[in-house]
Amino acid sequence: MVGTRLNWDQYATAWARLHGGFDPRVAAPVVRAWLRFAYHVGYILGRLRIGPTPVTVVGVLLCLCVPLLVGRAGDGPFLGALFVLLAAVADSVDGAVAVATHRTTRLGYVYDSVADRLGEAAWLTAFWLLGAPGALVAAAGGLSWLHEYVRARAVSAGMREIGAVTVGERPTRVCVALVGLVVAGLTGLIDTDLTSGTITMATTVWVLLAGFGLGQLLSAVRRALVDAG
């Protein structure tokens, strides 16, 4: 029932089942605090009869605003960063709503995954508009997509858990987008010509972390499937 509140331990157990067995209670303090925040907000939205799908849609719309805002003179990158942060909140809260209201579905999981990929594409489009090379932007998007695709296929092939928590996970990509836009905005206040170089550096960091994370994941997948086979 929507009105039956799960306590934190019950919520964490249910959340772990939906995320490959990763227990948020043993996560890093910052991650744990973030997930507890999403848990409380999710419960409140559930009490207001707001389902997870509208929250997912709002998150996508927030992401799509990012490339529209970054071109504004002066405060564009800062506004883009703000909308990345709000979209990240929505991304966490939609799952929390689903768990807290007992409305988790396989279709919702698919919607959430599609929303994540659309959101990241919008952020990288903003990077490109600020001056990051197109090939580098495409590499960042491709490696991130491949990271999620490999994990999904490995689970389909028999891997029971997430394989490994890599340096290229979605929270890392959120941080790179957020920090990259803020720093690009700050350097742009000094000299507008510095913006493109700064955002190129942020895109390079995204590519390096995504590539290394993909290597970590492939190694974990190989071990898991060899052991299972």
mmCIF file of all heavy atoms in Angstrom, residues 23 42 169 215:
data_model
loop_
_atom_site.group_PDB
_atom_site.id
_atom_site.type_symbol
_atom_site.label_atom_id
_atom_site.label_comp_id
_atom_site.label_asym_id
_atom_site.label_seq_id
_atom_site.Cartn_x
_atom_site.Cartn_y
_atom_site.Cartn_z
ATOM 1 N N ASP A 23 24.119 -3.066 -1.273
ATOM 2 C CA ASP A 23 23.419 -2.611 -0.075
ATOM 3 C C ASP A 23 23.776 -1.152 0.220
ATOM 4 O O ASP A 23 24.939 -0.843 0.535
ATOM 5 C CB ASP A 23 23.805 -3.489 1.116
ATOM 6 C CG ASP A 23 22.934 -3.238 2.338
ATOM 7 O OD1 ASP A 23 22.265 -2.177 2.396
ATOM 8 O OD2 ASP A 23 22.926 -4.101 3.231
ATOM 9 N N GLY A 42 10.920 10.387 -1.636
ATOM 10 C CA GLY A 42 10.076 9.406 -2.315
ATOM 11 C C GLY A 42 8.836 9.069 -1.509
ATOM 12 O O GLY A 42 7.736 8.918 -2.069
ATOM 13 N N GLU A 169 30.547 4.612 -13.234
ATOM 14 C CA GLU A 169 29.112 4.484 -12.996
ATOM 15 C C GLU A 169 28.388 5.815 -13.211
ATOM 16 O O GLU A 169 29.011 6.879 -13.288
ATOM 17 C CB GLU A 169 28.849 3.983 -11.586
ATOM 18 C CG GLU A 169 29.484 2.651 -11.247
ATOM 19 C CD GLU A 169 28.863 1.478 -11.998
ATOM 20 O OE1 GLU A 169 27.772 1.637 -12.565
ATOM 21 O OE2 GLU A 169 29.486 0.399 -12.000
ATOM 22 N N GLY A 215 36.652 -1.242 -18.574
ATOM 23 C CA GLY A 215 37.634 -2.306 -18.385
ATOM 24 C C GLY A 215 37.396 -3.056 -17.082
ATOM 25 O O GLY A 215 37.478 -4.297 -17.036
#
